[in-house]
Amino acid sequence: MVLREERVAVLDPVREQRIRDSIGRQTLLTTLGVEIAEVATGRVALDLPFRADLCQQNGYLHAGAVTTVADSACGYAALTQMPDDREVLTVEFKVNLVSPARGERFRAVGTVARSGRTLTVCSAEVTARDGSGEQRLVALMQATMMAVTAQ
Amino acid sequence: MVLREERVAVLDPVREQRIRDSIGRQTLLTTLGVEIAEVATGRVALDLPFRADLCQQNGYLHAGAVTTVADSACGYAALTQMPDDREVLTVEFKVNLVSPARGERFRAVGTVARSGRTLTVCSAEVTARDGSGEQRLVALMQATMMAVTAQ
Amino acid sequence: MVLREERVAVLDPVREQRIRDSIGRQTLLTTLGVEIAEVATGRVALDLPFRADLCQQNGYLHAGAVTTVADSACGYAALTQMPDDREVLTVEFKVNLVSPARGERFRAVGTVARSGRTLTVCSAEVTARDGSGEQRLVALMQATMMAVTAQ
Amino acid sequence: MVLREERVAVLDPVREQRIRDSIGRQTLLTTLGVEIAEVATGRVALDLPFRADLCQQNGYLHAGAVTTVADSACGYAALTQMPDDREVLTVEFKVNLVSPARGERFRAVGTVARSGRTLTVCSAEVTARDGSGEQRLVALMQATMMAVTAQ
């Protein structure tokens, strides 16, 4: 299918900086140790290195940490395509945890599936990488983001 | 509607301790500062006091933190009704963020809507409480949990 | 929890008629044989009598039929609380099919969990009734509806 | 991302016939006029020609009809990868309606994102085609399917 919006392109530097600044203000991302991997038009990738203090009861990354990076990746992917006077809020998302979140490093890639004036629909894939460099899909998100007037 | 399972009852102390121990092993909950408010049959409540390092870009609690407590509340609500040799894994969830997560303290109440041998469907409501004691709904979760053989 | 909006009240007759007329224009509901059971402020119930031509491969009601009545019940529940110059569109929904949709008659009750100026979050429960009058929960929906200017 | 399972391959003819027979037993699909467009390993496409008796209040295809074809496409995509003694049940799905379902013909393409022994996670895209042949994305589904012992 080629119908999802595929406008992955370099952002103008001013807008990219605005996105990076906003990501920097998400204190939960700092608390978890999230790093920005990519900011492009309609696509944002965030990395989360494994830490033993972010886990569920079996020592895997907690679904809440997986969701946090996926949500922020989707939200900022949406924001890259919104006018400069807008901010983004999460309306809702749905996450499937498709395999245990085991690994040394996790990457959430959020992409815009459809952008509208008010609502933007995004998808995210979260993958785990272990020491051997092998990647595995751990989660899929489908999310709705909303453009609101910046405060 | 009275058809959701409503078996909110006192758990036997051994099972309750097993649940509390498992919650205690979710290191992300400790990192976020989550406290256990209630563990009953088919119902678990978790509290998250506001902290400035758990926020999104506007200073509200991050959707990922909201989701973390809701997911754990749902998972442990499901576990209260599973046999003792089972553990619980999150299959998927969907969260609506219905108002900004502003407040001094957040409570996620997870309840079992329908328990099956393999899959259990849960709901959670997350509310915010401010200094005046007023409560406001901030999020609704609908989740699917899976019973797996304990490791 | 008492925080979901609970404004189930009699609608003024003009608005109720407007809702009923709009339901009447949903031709899929007529095709499936859906009947209006209740229209109240923030709450709409729709009934679907079982028919052998609405099934999945095992002779149970198809998830798509279950979803159709739940979606319309949610949408119209939302519309009861919107200004008269608005129409409602479904943004998204999530449905858990919690038990096989077996029975003689199905009822979807949609209720408003949170109404906003643009977006309204609704829940629906779909129950099955068999010949003995016993009711069983078959599906849970969590949905986001949007107010748009009527055409 | 290349991590979703991409095993779109020709099915062995016996299994393909078994899938087509099961689709043929979904009486709701016959009632709506759904046609099989493709059955391959991990991928099923179903077509729904527009009919005026399948609409919502504005004359667009009802979200319930969109969901019906997406759900069946996902379910049968999952079934193509299950052992021959299994059947598929829908556990849950989430659908975003990303633009009005306007058009002459709709196609739901369901693909397997991750298959497990018990649960399979699928995605579907529903597109509309108008008289000029132009395609537009109208809905995205993310679904969980379950393998059960055939009856």
Side-chain angles (χ1 to χ4, degrees):
Chain A
M1 302 298 293
V2 296
L3 292 162
R4 293 178 181 230
E5 297 178 14
E6 292 283 2
R7 288 190 267 164
V8 178
V10 177
L11 269 180
D12 83 87
V14 173
R15 181 171 288 194
E16 180 176 341
Q17 195 54 51
R18 194 170 69 93
I19 303 280
R20 288 178 177 271
D21 290 349
S22 182
I23 295 174
R25 285 196 304 274
Q26 291 209 333
T27 58
L28 179 59
L29 300 191
T30 308
T31 299
L32 300 185
V34 173
E35 303 162 5
I36 301 174
E38 182 189 1
V39 178
T41 305
R43 175 179 171 119
V44 167
L46 299 175
D47 278 2
L48 175 59
F50 177 83
R51 269 180 19 205
D53 64 342
L54 307 178
C55 290
Q56 39 85 284
Q57 73 277 10
N58 295 315
Y60 304 144
L61 194 69
H62 195 289
V66 172
T67 299
T68 300
V69 285
D71 170 46
S72 288
C74 283
Y76 287 109
L79 187 59
T80 63
Q81 298 183 210
M82 292 177 185
D84 284 341
D85 61 345
R86 293 304 172 103
E87 276 218 65
V88 63
L89 283 185
T90 303
V91 172
E92 61 83 33
F93 48 68
K94 184 255 202 286
V95 179
N96 276 80
L97 289 315
V98 303
S99 55
R102 224 182 350 231
E104 295 190 357
R105 200 173 177 82
F106 300 88
R107 174 164 294 184
V109 180
T111 51
V112 172
R114 175 84 181 191
S115 58
R117 200 161 43 95
T118 306
L119 299 178
T120 298
V121 179
C122 296
S123 302
E125 295 190 11
V126 183
T127 52
R129 193 171 302 214
D130 62 20
S132 70
E134 201 190 341
Q135 268 185 289
R136 207 163 29 87
L137 183 66
V138 298
L140 290 174
M141 174 180 276
Q142 191 169 310
T144 309
M145 299 291 161
M146 190 175 193
V148 294
T149 308
Q151 303 181 316
Chain B
M1 302 297 292
V2 297
L3 291 162
R4 293 177 180 232
E5 298 178 13
E6 291 284 1
R7 286 190 269 164
V8 178
V10 177
L11 268 180
D12 83 86
V14 173
R15 183 171 286 193
E16 180 176 338
Q17 195 54 50
R18 194 170 68 92
I19 303 280
R20 288 178 177 270
D21 290 348
S22 182
I23 295 174
R25 286 196 304 274
Q26 291 208 334
T27 58
L28 179 59
L29 299 191
T30 308
T31 299
L32 299 185
V34 173
E35 303 162 6
I36 302 175
E38 182 189 2
V39 178
T41 304
R43 175 180 172 118
V44 168
L46 299 175
D47 278 3
L48 175 60
F50 177 82
R51 272 184 11 209
D53 64 343
L54 307 178
C55 291
Q56 39 84 284
Q57 73 277 10
N58 295 316
Y60 305 144
L61 194 69
H62 196 287
V66 172
T67 298
T68 299
V69 284
D71 170 47
S72 287
C74 283
Y76 286 110
L79 187 59
T80 62
Q81 298 185 208
M82 291 177 185
D84 285 341
D85 61 345
R86 293 305 173 100
E87 277 217 63
V88 62
L89 283 184
T90 303
V91 171
E92 61 83 34
F93 49 68
K94 182 254 201 288
V95 180
N96 276 80
L97 289 315
V98 303
S99 56
R102 225 183 347 232
E104 295 190 357
R105 198 172 178 83
F106 301 87
R107 173 164 294 184
V109 180
T111 51
V112 172
R114 175 86 182 190
S115 59
R117 199 160 44 95
T118 306
L119 299 179
T120 298
V121 178
C122 297
S123 302
E125 295 189 12
V126 184
T127 53
R129 194 172 300 216
D130 63 19
S132 71
E134 202 191 341
Q135 268 186 289
R136 207 163 29 87
L137 183 67
V138 297
L140 289 174
M141 173 180 279
Q142 191 169 310
T144 309
M145 298 291 161
M146 190 174 193
V148 294
T149 307
Q151 302 182 321
Chain C
M1 303 297 293
V2 296
L3 291 161
R4 293 179 181 230
E5 296 177 15
E6 293 283 2
R7 287 189 267 163
V8 178
V10 178
L11 269 180
D12 83 86
V14 173
R15 183 171 286 193
E16 180 177 338
Q17 194 55 49
R18 194 170 68 94
I19 304 281
R20 288 178 176 271
D21 289 348
S22 183
I23 295 175
R25 285 196 304 274
Q26 292 209 333
T27 57
L28 179 60
L29 299 191
T30 308
T31 299
L32 300 185
V34 174
E35 303 162 6
I36 302 174
E38 182 189 1
V39 179
T41 304
R43 175 178 171 120
V44 167
L46 299 175
D47 278 3
L48 175 60
F50 177 82
R51 271 185 9 210
D53 64 342
L54 306 178
C55 290
Q56 39 83 286
Q57 73 279 8
N58 295 314
Y60 306 144
L61 194 70
H62 195 288
V66 172
T67 299
T68 299
V69 284
D71 170 47
S72 288
C74 282
Y76 286 109
L79 187 59
T80 62
Q81 298 184 208
M82 292 177 184
D84 284 341
D85 61 344
R86 293 305 172 102
E87 277 217 65
V88 63
L89 284 184
T90 303
V91 172
E92 60 82 35
F93 48 69
K94 182 254 202 287
V95 179
N96 276 80
L97 289 315
V98 303
S99 56
R102 223 181 351 230
E104 296 190 357
R105 200 172 177 82
F106 301 87
R107 173 166 293 184
V109 180
T111 52
V112 172
R114 175 87 182 189
S115 59
R117 199 160 44 95
T118 306
L119 298 179
T120 297
V121 178
C122 297
S123 302
E125 295 189 12
V126 183
T127 52
R129 193 170 301 215
D130 61 21
S132 70
E134 203 190 340
Q135 268 186 290
R136 207 163 30 87
L137 184 66
V138 298
L140 289 173
M141 174 180 276
Q142 191 169 308
T144 309
M145 299 291 161
M146 190 174 194
V148 295
T149 307
Q151 301 182 318
Chain D
M1 303 296 292
V2 296
L3 292 162
R4 293 179 181 229
E5 296 177 15
E6 292 284 2
R7 287 188 268 164
V8 178
V10 177
L11 268 181
D12 84 86
V14 173
R15 183 171 287 192
E16 181 177 339
Q17 194 55 49
R18 193 170 69 93
I19 304 281
R20 288 178 177 270
D21 290 348
S22 182
I23 295 175
R25 285 196 303 275
Q26 291 208 334
T27 58
L28 179 59
L29 300 191
T30 308
T31 299
L32 299 184
V34 174
E35 302 162 7
I36 301 174
E38 182 189 1
V39 178
T41 304
R43 175 179 171 118
V44 167
L46 299 175
D47 278 3
L48 175 59
F50 176 82
R51 271 183 12 208
D53 63 343
L54 307 178
C55 290
Q56 39 84 284
Q57 74 278 9
N58 295 316
Y60 305 145
L61 194 70
H62 195 288
V66 172
T67 298
T68 299
V69 283
D71 170 47
S72 288
C74 282
Y76 286 109
L79 187 59
T80 62
Q81 298 183 209
M82 291 177 184
D84 285 340
D85 60 345
R86 293 305 172 101
E87 277 217 63
V88 63
L89 283 184
T90 303
V91 172
E92 60 82 35
F93 48 68
K94 183 253 200 289
V95 179
N96 276 81
L97 289 315
V98 303
S99 56
R102 223 182 350 230
E104 296 190 357
R105 199 173 177 83
F106 301 87
R107 173 165 294 184
V109 180
T111 52
V112 172
R114 175 85 182 191
S115 59
R117 199 159 44 94
T118 307
L119 298 179
T120 297
V121 179
C122 296
S123 302
E125 295 189 12
V126 183
T127 52
R129 193 170 301 216
D130 62 20
S132 70
E134 202 190 339
Q135 268 186 289
R136 208 164 28 87
L137 184 66
V138 298
L140 289 173
M141 174 181 277
Q142 191 170 308
T144 309
M145 299 290 161
M146 190 175 193
V148 293
T149 307
Q151 301 182 317

